[in-house]
């Protein structure tokens, strides 16, 4: 990494930072956002767009992202153009490393051809953990390049950011970057949203015809990282309590075989209550999951995308095992409870109405009991 920094810094001083930039139309600022992240990253990035448009009403926003982010970004009303670049280091598809790099090179070339058509007021690469897209900067016209310099290619940036000491929320550091384009806001100004086609409200009812207005609980027991899954025994214990002490219908969502196996196991565990356990694994689009969450009384999820998405539309309980704690606590529109085992976030929270975080050493029956008690209190308040 140090050698890469030396080479890039030498190039930047000798050529890149002496570049001539084409002045854009000051009345129509053009902002380019870049992210090599996944669906959860794309969703929370989109929360920033209304803040930008509020500060720059005539602006246009283009986004470079992996095509796996299309379910989140393709219908976003704030984005003018969505450009695909499938970064090899963050590609989670079940293909060979060689195939990932071939796709990376192919989509990089295609992205550059599209980006060369524009001159941007500013580019902002929001990736701070790994795999930024600063390597695009020599090929595009941008007046100010903003990003994090800690992962290489930092010499190509005009405004370089570094992570704060201690724990932080990922949107806080992104909001700090937005100040470089005249957007001044805090976490309390963010209003989470997800735009999805209205047709999803119809198709989710067609796929799940048993939805009849009874109290509904969405169960989303998976995440992008297998190491963050909870054992089936935890969910079996929790669902047993839910079936005993509530009259909810439970709909299990996800895409992975582990989730399908869990739902089959639950049906076997509670044969007399199979009519309240419904498997919707690998059958709903992300838009339909959002539409289902609108109908739900509450959701139980793991961390990352499920926690962020469901908490936009309904009260949510999330379990953050082996995650980054505060860094990705969800910003919710409804009461939100997070159980986590991140030691450095033990006494930390975020200042959002209805948000509660609880540090736990292990995910056990005590956690199930606390979750159920919170559910009952939350439903009682809602009623």
């Amino acid at each position: 990494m140090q050698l890469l920094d030396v080479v890039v810094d030498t190039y930047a001083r000798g050529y890149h930072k002496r570049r001539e930039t084409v002045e854009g139309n000051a009345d129509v600022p053009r902002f380019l956002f870049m992210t090599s992240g996944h669906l959860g990253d794309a969703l929370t990035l989109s929360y920033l767009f209304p803040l930008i448009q509020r500060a720059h009403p005539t602006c246009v926003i283009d986004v470079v992202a992996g095509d796996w982010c299309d379910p989140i970004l393709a219908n976003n009303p704030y984005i003018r153009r969505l450009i695909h670049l499938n970064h090899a280091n963050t590609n989670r598809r079940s293909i060979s490393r060689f195939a990932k790099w071939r796709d990376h090179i192919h989509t990089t070339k295609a992205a550059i051809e599209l980006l060369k058509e524009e001159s941007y007021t500013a580019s902002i690469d929001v990736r701070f953990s790994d795999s930024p897209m600063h390597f695009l900067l020599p090929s595009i016209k941008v007046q100010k390049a903003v990003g994090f310099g800690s992962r290489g290619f930092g010499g190509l940036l005009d405004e370089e950011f570094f992570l704060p000491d201690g724990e932080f929320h990922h949107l806080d550091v992104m909001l700090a970057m937005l100040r470089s384009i005249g957007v001044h806001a805090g976490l309390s100004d963010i209003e989470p949203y997800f735009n999805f086609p209205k047709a999803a409200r119809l198709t989710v009812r067609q796929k799940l015809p048993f939805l009849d207005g009874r109290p509904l609980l969405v169960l989303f027991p998976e995440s992008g990282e297998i190491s963050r899954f909870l054992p089936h025994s935890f969910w079996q214990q929790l669902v047993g309590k839910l079936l005993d002490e509530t009259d909810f219908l439970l709909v299990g969502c996800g895409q992975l075989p582990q989730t399908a196996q869990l739902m089959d196991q639950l049906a076997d565990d509670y044969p007399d209550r199979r009519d309240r356990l419904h498997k919707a694994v690998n059958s709903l689009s992300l838009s339909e999951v959002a539409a289902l969450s609108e109908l739900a009384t509450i959701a139980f999820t793991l961390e990352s995308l499920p926690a962020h998405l469901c908490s936009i539309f309904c009260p949510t309980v999330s379990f953050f095992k082996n995650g980054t704690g505060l860094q990705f606590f969800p910003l919710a529109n409804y009461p939100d409870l997070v159980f986590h085992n991140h030691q450095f976030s033990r006494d930390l929270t975020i200042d959002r109405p209805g948000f509660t975080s609880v540090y736990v050493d292990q995910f056990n029956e005590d956690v199930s009991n606390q979750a159920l008690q919170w559910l009952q209190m939350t439903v009682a308040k809602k009623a």
Side-chain angles (χ1 to χ4, degrees):
M1 187 69 75
Q2 289 180 336
L3 177 60
L4 178 63
D5 280 339
V6 170
V7 173
V8 172
D9 286 348
T10 301
Y11 164 79
R13 286 193 300 268
Y15 175 73
H16 182 68
K17 291 195 174 177
R18 298 180 184 180
R19 71 193 186 281
E20 292 184 9
T21 58
V22 178
E23 293 294 327
N25 183 348
D27 295 329
V28 185
R30 289 177 169 82
F31 301 121
L32 176 67
F33 282 82
M34 297 184 279
T35 176
S36 62
H38 301 100
L39 289 168
D41 304 294
L43 179 62
T44 56
L45 168 63
S46 73
Y47 297 169
L48 304 180
F49 299 156
L51 303 177
I52 296 166
Q53 191 171 78
R54 197 175 305 159
H56 302 283
T58 61
C59 75
V60 295
I61 296 172
D62 292 349
V63 176
V64 179
D67 61 16
W68 47 79
C69 293
D70 281 6
I72 293 292
L73 299 177
N75 293 304
N76 188 285
Y78 296 96
I79 298 175
R80 180 188 63 168
R81 175 183 276 183
L82 179 58
I83 299 167
H84 293 144
L85 196 162
N86 298 338
H87 202 297
N89 290 337
T90 55
N91 190 332
R92 291 176 176 170
R93 293 192 169 117
S94 299
I95 57 177
S96 68
R97 189 69 177 163
F98 174 78
K100 290 179 181 181
W101 276 106
R102 183 174 58 191
D103 190 28
H104 176 109
I105 293 169
H106 172 74
T107 55
T108 296
K109 290 179 179 177
I112 288 172
E113 287 304 308
L114 292 172
L115 292 168
K116 284 163 60 175
E117 299 173 4
E118 279 291 349
S119 176
Y120 289 100
T121 307
S123 69
I124 300 179
D125 192 320
V126 299
R127 190 75 176 176
F128 56 79
S129 56
D130 62 71
S131 308
M133 297 184 186
H134 303 332
F135 56 83
L136 290 175
L137 294 174
S139 303
I140 61 178
K141 298 185 288 291
V142 57
Q143 296 172 38
K144 180 193 289 187
V146 181
F148 290 91
S150 55
R151 306 301 300 179
F153 292 94
L156 300 176
L157 298 170
D158 299 303
E159 191 159 350
E160 191 172 359
F161 284 78
F162 295 91
L163 294 180
D165 294 330
E167 298 304 307
F168 60 89
H169 195 279
H170 75 288
L171 283 171
D172 263 331
V173 297
M174 292 185 195
L175 289 167
M177 298 171 75
L178 292 190
R179 294 181 198 126
S180 65
I181 60 170
V183 179
H184 300 275
L187 290 182
S188 60
D189 299 304
I190 290 177
E191 299 177 8
Y193 71 98
F194 172 52
N195 280 81
F196 60 90
K198 292 180 180 179
R201 296 186 175 97
L202 174 63
T203 57
V204 75
R205 289 185 176 276
Q206 292 172 339
K207 291 181 179 181
L208 306 176
F210 54 83
L211 298 176
D212 58 5
R214 282 184 289 175
L216 172 65
L217 186 148
V218 173
L219 191 68
F220 210 130
E222 65 182 53
S223 167
E225 297 286 344
I226 298 294
S227 64
R228 297 176 183 176
F229 280 35
L230 291 170
H232 282 190
S233 58
F234 174 83
W235 293 110
Q236 289 170 274
Q237 179 190 87
L238 175 60
V239 169
K241 293 178 183 293
L242 291 167
L243 292 172
D244 286 341
E245 301 187 35
T246 76
D247 59 351
F248 287 120
L249 297 176
L250 275 67
V251 179
C253 299
Q255 295 181 306
L256 300 178
Q258 295 95 315
T259 306
Q261 292 164 7
L262 171 62
M263 295 308 299
D264 290 338
Q265 182 63 57
L266 291 172
D268 290 341
D269 290 343
Y270 306 103
D272 58 330
R273 285 169 282 188
R274 283 175 179 263
D275 62 320
R276 291 172 56 196
L277 293 165
H278 300 275
K279 182 170 67 174
V281 181
N282 218 20
S283 64
L284 301 180
S285 69
L286 201 63
S287 294
E288 288 166 339
V289 172
L292 182 65
S293 298
E294 279 188 329
L295 300 172
T297 305
I298 200 162
F300 279 67
T301 78
L302 290 191
E303 51 84 52
S304 192
L305 176 66
H308 294 298
L309 182 65
C310 292
S311 65
I312 294 174
F313 300 107
C314 67
T316 303
V317 178
S318 300
F319 305 99
F320 281 45
K321 175 191 172 189
N322 301 334
T324 53
L326 173 69
Q327 190 174 128
F328 286 103
F329 282 172
L331 303 187
N333 291 329
Y334 289 86
D336 195 46
L337 172 63
V338 169
F339 293 98
H340 70 94
N341 64 349
H342 189 254
Q343 175 65 36
F344 297 114
S345 301
R346 183 173 191 139
D347 299 315
L348 302 178
T349 187
I350 52 175
D351 186 17
R352 298 279 297 188
F355 178 83
T356 305
S357 60
V358 178
Y359 173 81
V360 296
D361 293 312
Q362 53 186 329
F363 295 88
N364 53 20
E365 187 173 4
D366 181 55
V367 172
S368 299
N369 290 334
Q370 289 184 64
L372 186 62
Q373 183 180 25
W374 186 88
L375 179 157
Q376 292 166 336
M377 291 173 54
T378 301
V379 170
K381 287 180 181 178
K382 188 175 180 180

